[in-house]
Amino acid sequence: MYPATKWSWKRLAAKLLLVPVLAGGGVAAVQAQLGKGGTPAPAAPMMPTGSAAKTKGAPASGSDPKQMLKDARKALDAGRFDEATILAQQAESSNPGGKWGLFGDTPASVREDIAKGKAKADRAKSEQLVKEAKALAAKPAANDAERAYNLDTALQMARKADQLHGPYSTWDMGDRADKLIKDIEAARAKVKVASAPRPPVTGGGVAGTGVAAKPATPVAGASDAKKAAAVKLIAEGRACADKGDFAGAKAKFQDADKCGASWAAGEYAPGFALQELNARGAAAMDALVRDAQTATAAKDYAKADSALNAAGAIANTLGLFPKAVSEGKAALWTASAGKHGTA
């Protein structure tokens, strides 16, 4: 009898331990199902358990801020800086609490690495452009027209390289875009012709250079109606450029291109006119920047501001690099104690 009595007490103890669980869980569930009147009540929604309970309220995998940061890192490693920046911003917006863990990645660190990566890539592009611009500026030319074209093209490349590189330090001992710009401008000043894009080789041209023996000139008296209209527009555009109306000249040349005329090799086509306009605009912009520097030195800040605004308008109209204008406005801001220019 003793063993039987012993197991009976064990079963009784187990039942007593289960009473609170049943009272708090099973009994409550039964009452909830039966209701006060003993009739079944509407089923309550099931609560998630286990891993589902842990993830309740968390963002979906596609909007997980930590996963976004990982994707931003992948985009950064691939050189897709804009995509990486957007992902970092989205990750930050998806985590308003700003908690990333003690050793976790953060949007701020991703943005910092993006800036470093972009600066490194821009400098690599800058160095390549400097090499190409230097080679083009030193390239032998068959005539002044080709020389002017090469120098104008090299100058644009050097300005782009200077913009990509950013400020130079005293430790930058190699080829520098800012120095190359000055050298090219000095060489260009010695060539007293306006440049035009290099036309294909024609009869009497210089073999292997892609340059006609004589600079391209407008075709007069064209029998084709489309070409006649285009020639007229080109002439009007050149007249606008002579007056300093670069916007009007650009519009005329673009309208001439829309005429759909056919152009033979060596003819002064609308594309040639637009390239020549860019060269003239760059020269005019540089002259205005120099005028602004002179006026700033003479403390004529209003005149300097006007010159820089005019230079900026030319840059915007023709799509030229405005770094010289921006630097002039910053210098003017400092010199005029914030009354003129831009901070």
Side-chain angles (χ1 to χ4, degrees), residues 244-320:
D245 182 9
F246 293 101
K250 182 178 180 180
K252 292 289 185 181
F253 295 151
Q254 289 175 335
D255 289 342
D257 187 50
K258 293 177 183 178
C259 289
S262 299
W263 303 89
E267 290 183 324
Y268 194 85
F272 292 3
L274 285 167
Q275 179 65 29
E276 184 183 47
L277 180 66
N278 283 345
R280 295 181 67 174
M285 187 177 70
D286 291 341
L288 286 166
V289 170
R290 288 193 296 270
D291 290 344
Q293 292 171 345
T294 302
T296 301
K299 297 185 179 181
D300 191 350
Y301 302 130
K303 182 179 179 181
D305 195 36
S306 177
L308 289 173
N309 288 336
I314 294 174
N316 291 334
T317 298
L318 301 180
L320 302 175

Side-chain angles (χ1 to χ4, degrees), residues 317-329:
T317 298
L318 301 180
L320 302 175
F321 303 121
K323 182 178 181 180
V325 178
S326 301
E327 291 177 346
K329 284 182 172 290

Side-chain angles (χ1 to χ4, degrees), residues 98-118:
K99 296 180 179 179
W100 301 97
L102 183 60
F103 300 103
D105 202 359
T106 65
S109 62
V110 172
R111 283 195 294 267
E112 182 178 354
D113 290 341
I114 290 172
K116 292 179 181 178
K118 192 173 186 304

